[in-house]
Amino acid sequence: MSAAPTLAIDELLDDPRTRVLVCCGSGGVGKTTTAAALGLRAAERGRRVVVLTIDPARRLAQSLGLAELDNTPRPVAGVDASSGGTLDAMMLDMKRTFDEVIEGHAPPQKAAQILENPFYQALSSSFAGTQEYMAMEKLGQLRAQAEAGEHDWDLIVVDTPPSRSALDFLDAPQRLGSFLDGRFIRILGAPAKAGGRAYLKMMSAAIGTATGLMTKILGAQVLKDVQTFVAALDTMFGGFRERADATYRLLQAPGTAFLVVAAPEPDALREASYFVDRLEGDGMPLAGLVLNRVHTGPAEGLSAERALTAAEDLDDAQEHALTAGLLRIHADRMRLSEREKSVASRFTQAHPDVAVVRVPARPQDVHDLTGLRGVGADLAGADEPAYSR
């Protein structure tokens, strides 16, 4: 069986037609670090990049100059600009982005009513899918700013939210848009014209089902808050569906490329396989798979069996105990490597045309630009980082 084609990262980053790069996959596979490393490498190869990241580890955030949550793109210090590139970075503030949507599309008085409404505050903070929707909303804002000449970015790199399922990322914008634009929420917001207490009891039960995650809002007060919210937001309902549709068109458009990030583990690769199928089904452009945290050894020609045999021979001779210990460590690592290759081969068999790049596991977390350059070099298959500063 032939090996999977190799994903040429530098060709993807250098291509001026690549305008949006979306890193997606299940949680805990290194998407945020991958997105940051891609953004840095692209910038130091001459692209004008903005990275939209979601909740990075504190040390990684600090290395990007993002010590505190900030919804505004800011320049990253320490980037080598000798090739003419730049790097801005930002962390998504989910609620602030939702507030910006309201402020940008409602008259000031109505916007104030909506922002102060308890139902809206719960919706914008905890409704399932809000973070995914707002990540795509922010992507749309960044792309619009670039096209309008407000910023000179020519590449946007997106780190998608750490959802329970990678598919949540594609489903959430349409799900939230449908919820806000649907008949059901209009029914919830309709005034109680008839039925007295029985009507109110029925509506309260319906609201309880629809807003189970909004535990801070209870009973008849929920009905009142929803009615007030819907009345204030009425002119914007159609806009949410339109924005969700526009997001899908942007994700499908030429110039967008998806990178599915996975670890060499059964659950992560199973999720990656589902995601690849979904992208293909929705007509979204897949660049390839980043297989992250792959374990390799400095002497891969030495099998686990041979290493263990050599260790046993040294034990029998009562010589070189340290060498025997190292041989056993090598054997364990080779066995892990073989398990990872076996798991990865299932993905390759299911998707033989998907290009793959394998990124070696690192002994410690990445927490500075030097580490990100190293990851970028690994992504590109380079022997050394492009810049060693």
Side-chain angles (χ1 to χ4, degrees), residues 28-34 260-265 269 289-295 340 356-362 375 378-379:
V29 296
K31 283 182 301 183
T32 299
T33 299
T34 298
V260 177
V261 184
E265 301 165 359
L269 279 168
L289 173 76
V290 174
L291 191 58
N292 205 12
R293 301 171 182 165
V294 174
H295 289 87
E340 291 178 348
V356 178
V357 60
R358 292 168 175 81
V359 179
R362 290 183 166 261
V375 174
D378 288 340
L379 284 162

Side-chain angles (χ1 to χ4, degrees), residues 38-218:
L38 289 168
L40 177 61
R41 188 169 183 86
E44 294 188 329
R45 293 177 67 85
R47 301 296 299 269
R48 297 181 298 277
V49 186
V50 57
V51 174
L52 170 59
T53 185
I54 313 294
D55 192 26
R58 179 178 297 274
R59 287 184 296 178
L60 178 59
Q62 290 174 342
S63 74
L64 292 172
L66 301 172
E68 297 180 359
L69 188 68
D70 198 326
N71 210 40
T72 302
R74 302 188 185 281
V76 176
V79 174
D80 188 310
S82 59
S83 296
T86 61
L87 178 62
D88 291 347
M90 63 172 294
M91 284 186 282
L92 178 72
D93 184 334
M94 176 180 69
K95 188 177 186 309
R96 182 61 206 147
T97 300
F98 210 151
D99 291 349
E100 290 172 355
V101 174
I102 301 299
E103 293 168 346
H105 295 84
Q109 185 175 359
K110 279 194 174 182
Q113 292 175 356
I114 295 169
L115 296 177
E116 294 172 0
N117 184 277
F119 182 87
Y120 167 76
Q121 291 174 4
L123 175 71
S124 61
S125 301
S126 59
F127 188 81
T130 302
Q131 188 178 50
E132 288 84 356
Y133 182 97
M134 290 306 145
M136 291 301 93
E137 172 65 33
K138 181 57 69 174
L139 168 59
Q141 291 178 9
L142 296 174
R143 181 65 182 269
Q145 291 170 8
E147 291 182 346
E150 298 177 25
H151 295 277
D152 63 353
W153 303 314
D154 58 22
L155 177 62
I156 302 171
V157 181
V158 182
D159 162 34
T160 58
S163 306
R164 177 187 59 81
S165 166
L167 297 179
D168 288 348
F169 163 66
L170 289 179
D171 291 333
Q174 189 171 22
R175 185 169 65 243
L176 183 59
S178 297
F179 172 76
L180 291 171
D181 192 26
R183 292 182 179 180
F184 189 49
I185 196 172
R186 291 180 181 274
I187 293 173
L188 294 179
K193 295 181 178 179
R197 294 181 179 177
Y199 176 86
L200 183 60
K201 183 177 181 181
M202 178 191 71
M203 291 304 296
S204 296
I207 293 170
T209 301
T211 60
L213 296 179
M214 303 174 188
T215 56
K216 296 182 180 180
I217 310 174
L218 301 173

